[in-house]
Amino acid sequence: MANTITEITPQQLDTEQFISDKVKEIKDVVGDGTAINALSGGVDSSAVTLLGHRALGTQLRTVFVENGLMREGEAEQVVGFFRELGVEVEVVDAREEFFAALKGVTDPEEKREAVTQTFYKDVFGRLVKDSGARHLLQGTILTDVDETVAGIKRQHNVFAQLGIDPQEAFGYHIIEPLIQLRKDGVRRVGKALGLQAELFERIPFPGPALAARVIGEVTSDRVETVRKATTIVERTLKDTNAFQYMAILHEDRVTGMCDGRREFGQQIELRCWDSVDARTATPTELPFETLRGMADEIISNVPGVVSVTYNIATKPPSTIEAI
Ligand code: XMP
């Protein structure tokens, strides 16, 4: 499978020129029709939302899909940030559909596929059908394509390179204005579009969201466990300048002590990465007291967790996420 997309490197990127070229391209493709896009609050989907609104104004409908897999308070926060920028975001509650699709699924790629199908086919299929939109605008970037083409990990938002025609599979056309850029380029475009620093400086967060951080079956209880640990990790490490950090809930249980009783409890793995573009990464040398602080806080606040570990392997052969 060849990747024929031409990269725009950070040295080549002229943000103003890029924005005006993409605004024109989006206008040309959509014409006087309507488009829809999903905003997760990540750098890529945030940049695409602003680019799309600059091109299409009210011809673009932006939705935040509440899939039950997002971090604490995420929907409210993202809707609030975009309201400040004059963009109204609609929240669509699809929690039940996602958990139903994930029921009993434990294989990593099947999990991604369940999230992908629910998102593109069920939730978006319906929204597009109901709204009469013909186009879905999305923030695929070159790293998503590379990793999918190389067979490392199938990113949830890559189709054309896998020979999937979205029009045929889902009934709508996908526009990908950021596909020639990598994360650093997208951050610069986001900044130039007026995105708040809180959004364009955010650490990457995967499309399958916390489903990528639960090893084994993804249930709403297990997501809640990893969500609570994630809040602690993100708050503790926000000023470290690390590329990405996370909590992962393991499937294996280990014996621990809870209230003086033996409990076969849950394990949380912490990861914190130094990286430039996610293609390679090394674990951040966090002070031991920082690690201990997070472990204590997680054990005290996340019910059922009796073990906390820190990953010290590099990527490769590890990957940034655990699934
Ligand atoms: P890995 O785990 O492959 O991650 O080393 C590289 C970067 O990609 C993110 N990631 C994903 N993003 N859908 C996404 O949108 C996915 O399925 C997915 N898997 C990993 C990961 O967080 C990291 O920044």
Side-chain angles (χ1 to χ4, degrees), residues 71-90:
R71 290 165 291 188
E72 218 165 84
E74 197 141 21
E76 300 75 14
Q77 195 191 26
V78 171
V79 170
F81 275 131
F82 276 82
R83 187 160 294 148
E84 279 173 26
L85 297 168
V87 175
E88 276 311 309
V89 180
E90 213 179 302

Side-chain angles (χ1 to χ4, degrees), residues 69 97-119 152-156 208 211-212 214-218 322-323:
L69 308 169
E97 266 169 289
F98 279 89
F99 284 117
L102 286 162
K103 196 169 163 47
V105 181
T106 54
D107 176 81
E109 293 306 300
E110 283 176 23
K111 246 185 234 180
R112 282 200 163 76
E113 193 56 19
V115 173
T116 302
Q117 289 295 326
T118 308
F119 188 86
I152 298 167
K153 215 169 261 190
R154 200 185 135 174
Q155 298 290 337
H156 77 294
V214 169
I215 302 177
E217 191 180 8
V218 181
I323 74 156

Side-chain angles (χ1 to χ4, degrees), residues 215-227:
I215 302 177
E217 191 180 8
V218 181
T219 62
S220 90
D221 283 355
R222 300 194 76 220
V223 169
E224 189 51 30
T225 300
V226 89
R227 181 182 287 125

